[in-house]
Structures are given as C-alpha cells and as structure tokens.
Amino acid sequence: MGVSWCRMDGKPQDNDELRPSDSGARGCEGEAKAAQPAPPPQPASWDPTDVRGCDAELLVIAAIQAFVPTGLKRYLQRKAKVTGFRCFEYEPHDDGGFRIGVPSHALTIDTELKDHWKSMLKEKDICESKAVLIKVIGRNALAQVFAGDGDKSKLRMVEVVEVEDD
C-alpha cells in the first residue's frame, strides 16, 4: 500500500521550499473544492404582518428564535427526524385565530388576547392582528410578528411587553 501525496501548487520560496498557494481552491490531485454558497441577503425591511395568514411551522421557528434561542437546534433536529406528524399541536379558534403548542419546548403561541392586553397594544400603536401571546416556562409576553420585505416565508418575532396570565 502506497501513500498518496498532494502536489503543491505553490511557488518555490527563497530556500527552495514549496508552499501551498493562498487560493486554497484546490485539494489533492487538483480537485476543485466545493464552494460554500453565499448566505441569502437580509431583508431590506421588516414589516408587521397579520399572524393569521402565516405558516404555523414558520411561526414556531420564529418564536423559538426569539424566546428560546438555545432550543432552536434541538427543534430542527427533532423536526428532521419525524415523519407523518408535526412537532407541534395546532388548535384553531372559531374567529380564525389559533393556539399552537410545542410540548418539547414548553412553548405556546396564542392569538386569543385579553381585553387589557389589547389596550396595551393600542397604547404602543400595534394592531392586535399582528401580535400573539407567547407562553414559555417562567415568562408570558406579547410579541409582534414581522415579515421580511412583506414575504411571509421570512418571519421574526419581537417581544412587545411582558404580561401576567392566569
């Protein structure tokens, strides 16, 4: 069994040593390395969006990013492993709203807001259709949902105010 050596594509130095070239674009045997794809461009603007028209899966990911960021990797790994069912529970309301529960992260996203929360949102000039109640262990908050460049496939949540819930 022989040893395979990579050829050096560099130029000789003053002391006759060969150094690898700075490009790093070639591996052994002259094979081109796969180039890393450029990350997608960031949205130019984040616009408030109606939560009732958003995809439930994307809302869950946005909520985890905002309120349980350490659990995002675990959620995505679990989601990749399961087939035939979702990693969350979806319960529709009669008014078109919903309640999403993510048991693995003790997280709940709810569109049903109490009247005194609605007045808090109104004071901050936020439409109630663009906000949700987020419940996570030890914390309840109202959050506003934003879409990147108006595209509802790019969502993020921002906490508006922490609230008390029964």
Side-chain angles (χ1 to χ4, degrees):
M1 303 214 170
V3 177
S4 175
W5 296 92
C6 292
R7 66 182 171 90
M8 303 292 271
D9 286 338
K11 296 180 181 177
Q13 304 294 314
D14 291 336
N15 58 1
D16 293 331
E17 289 181 5
L18 284 178
R19 301 277 174 162
S21 62
D22 293 335
S23 68
R26 296 194 168 271
C28 292
E29 305 301 322
E31 297 173 8
K33 292 184 180 179
Q36 293 292 330
Q42 290 293 320
S45 67
W46 289 97
D47 307 315
T49 189
D50 186 359
V51 296
R52 288 169 173 82
C54 296
D55 180 60
E57 183 69 47
L58 296 176
L59 281 171
V60 169
I61 291 172
I64 291 174
Q65 285 178 323
F67 293 92
V68 194
T70 57
L72 182 61
K73 182 179 177 184
R74 180 171 48 105
Y75 178 80
L76 293 174
Q77 287 173 340
R78 182 169 188 227
K79 180 180 171 263
K81 289 180 183 179
V82 301
T83 56
F85 67 93
R86 299 183 201 181
C87 294
F88 59 89
E89 301 164 356
Y90 184 88
E91 300 171 22
H93 295 308
D94 293 335
D95 64 352
F98 54 82
R99 180 179 181 176
I100 301 173
V102 187
S104 62
H105 288 69
L107 174 76
T108 303
I109 305 167
D110 200 343
T111 59
E112 190 173 320
L113 305 176
K114 295 181 179 178
D115 290 333
H116 63 280
W117 296 341
K118 291 177 184 179
S119 64
M120 293 169 77
L121 291 172
K122 194 171 187 174
E123 288 173 10
K124 295 182 181 279
D125 199 30
I126 297 172
C127 181
E128 66 183 75
S129 67
K130 299 174 181 355
V132 291
L133 171 65
I134 302 292
K135 294 182 181 182
V136 69
I137 293 177
R139 188 171 172 198
N140 298 321
L142 296 177
Q144 189 171 16
V145 179
F146 294 90
D149 294 330
D151 183 1
K152 290 188 178 182
S153 67
K154 300 173 188 172
L155 298 180
R156 77 173 187 176
M157 283 191 192
V158 176
E159 181 177 342
V160 175
V161 65
E162 197 161 317
V163 295
E164 293 293 324
D165 192 29
D166 301 334

